[in-house]
Amino acid sequence: MTISCDWHIHSRNSDGGLAPMELAGRAAELGILDYGLTDHGDLPHKQKSLRDARREFLAAKGGPRFHFGAEASCMLQWTSDEIVAGRLEDSLYVGGPADGPLALDLSAEDVAELEIEYVIGSVHGPLCGVLEREPVIRDNFRQLMFIVTHPLVDVVGHPWWWIRGWKDADGRLTGKPWFDDFDVVPQSMHEEFAAAAIEHGTAVEANAATMVMSSAYTEKFNHQYLNYLAKLKERGVRLSIGSDWHGNPYGNDFAKAEKALATVGISDRDFWRLPPRL
Ligand SMILES: [Zn+2]
Ligand SMILES: [Zn+2]
């Protein structure tokens, strides 16, 4: 069954390349019926990127199945306060109490004002300061739990994605923190996360570009990660699909992702979907 939705797409208004007005036609050509724009916010600039994205989204007139979303990052409340006070630039990961309260870089006021229809909440880096396997696992889990239980979040983006440190010389991720063996993350963490997703009605993303089909990982990790997604589904968690597209023009890696997901019994009918707007 062909994948017919894509809930994670960036435009030129944040760190992507495409123009929202060109997205609608391209999506239809690729068989994507339900989809949404999800640019990052930018706290120090009072969400200028999302404001610009909203304007271009409206100008695109993409029809009722093209939606306006946002991708929010988890950060320390301390960092958010410092940014708002003008004492810190937009660094999410420098300074502050490592175990201090967490925040999203998007508020309920932003969501209302910009008429954001859905929010992806993502971990985009470690807040724990110490780059060692155990603290990073605990830190990632703490952020995931904050996101999955957050009232503004509809979809948890790319769980257990990781970019900092530990890259091989060729840019691949085959070692720490969990790419050598995903089983180093305790099952109890996945269980607690899944239970919270169900309780809060939060979907969890199968991210085609960075998790499901990335060639940055070993075959073993890709296999373990697909099983992780299948286990979430089995526990009753709703999965979402996203290309995490940053390029221009719009494309996606869904042909490959579809094949991979099918090996663990995940298909288009399993995915979270927003209904067409009235
Ligand atoms: Zn992300
Ligand atoms: Zn993204």
Side-chain angles (χ1 to χ4, degrees), residues 27-229:
E29 277 169 36
L30 294 167
I32 300 299
L33 306 176
D34 300 291
Y35 56 105
L37 202 62
T38 50
D39 278 307
H40 298 282
D42 52 354
L43 259 191
H45 307 292
K46 299 195 167 50
Q47 310 297 5
K48 182 180 180 305
S49 55
L50 290 177
R51 222 176 291 279
D52 291 346
R54 176 74 190 169
R55 205 184 49 246
E56 292 203 326
F57 164 79
L58 290 174
K61 295 190 167 50
R65 300 176 83 168
F66 179 25
H67 298 268
F68 187 69
E71 182 178 15
S73 296
C74 185
M75 64 206 303
L76 288 172
Q77 183 64 52
W78 176 89
T79 311
S80 175
D81 294 344
E82 291 295 295
I83 289 173
V84 170
R87 288 190 292 265
L88 195 68
E89 280 298 309
D90 58 354
S91 171
L92 298 177
Y93 313 113
V94 180
D99 54 357
L102 300 175
L104 284 185
D105 62 352
L106 192 75
S107 68
E109 290 73 36
D110 297 326
V111 169
E113 187 196 326
L114 297 163
E115 296 179 63
I116 294 168
E117 295 174 66
Y118 70 104
V119 174
I120 298 177
S122 304
V123 179
H124 281 135
L127 304 173
C128 60
V130 192
L131 285 191
E132 280 306 325
R133 195 198 290 272
E134 296 300 324
V136 164
I137 289 174
R138 280 198 304 276
D139 175 86
N140 203 75
F141 177 63
R142 182 168 94 98
Q143 292 189 63
L144 282 174
M145 288 305 292
F146 173 76
I147 290 168
V148 76
T149 58
H150 198 291
L152 285 185
V153 173
D154 300 288
V155 178
V156 178
H158 47 68
W160 301 99
W161 177 77
W162 177 263
I163 196 163
R164 301 187 168 223
W166 295 315
K167 269 195 177 167
D168 304 346
D170 58 2
R172 296 185 78 232
L173 287 155
T174 59
K176 288 197 274 185
W178 44 75
F179 297 115
D180 50 346
D181 182 5
F182 198 36
D183 286 343
V184 297
V185 178
Q187 278 303 316
S188 59
M189 287 188 179
H190 298 323
E191 278 161 27
E192 206 179 317
F193 176 71
I198 293 162
E199 188 190 332
H200 291 264
T202 314
V204 176
E205 182 181 78
N207 188 297
T210 69
M211 300 306 298
V212 177
M213 277 324 297
S214 176
S215 51
Y217 314 122
T218 63
E219 213 170 289
K220 174 184 169 183
F221 177 80
N222 280 337
H223 184 71
Q224 288 180 318
Y225 194 80
L226 283 170
N227 280 316
Y228 160 73
L229 293 174

Side-chain angles (χ1 to χ4, degrees), residues 249-270:
Y250 174 68
N252 57 49
D253 300 325
F254 283 165
K256 277 195 271 174
E258 201 172 280
K259 250 197 203 155
L261 289 164
T263 64
V264 290
I266 298 170
S267 73
D268 195 53
R269 75 174 75 86
D270 296 313

Side-chain angles (χ1 to χ4, degrees), residues 8 10 40 71 158 244 246:
H8 194 151
H10 295 278
H40 298 282
E71 182 178 15
H158 47 68
D244 211 346
H246 283 79

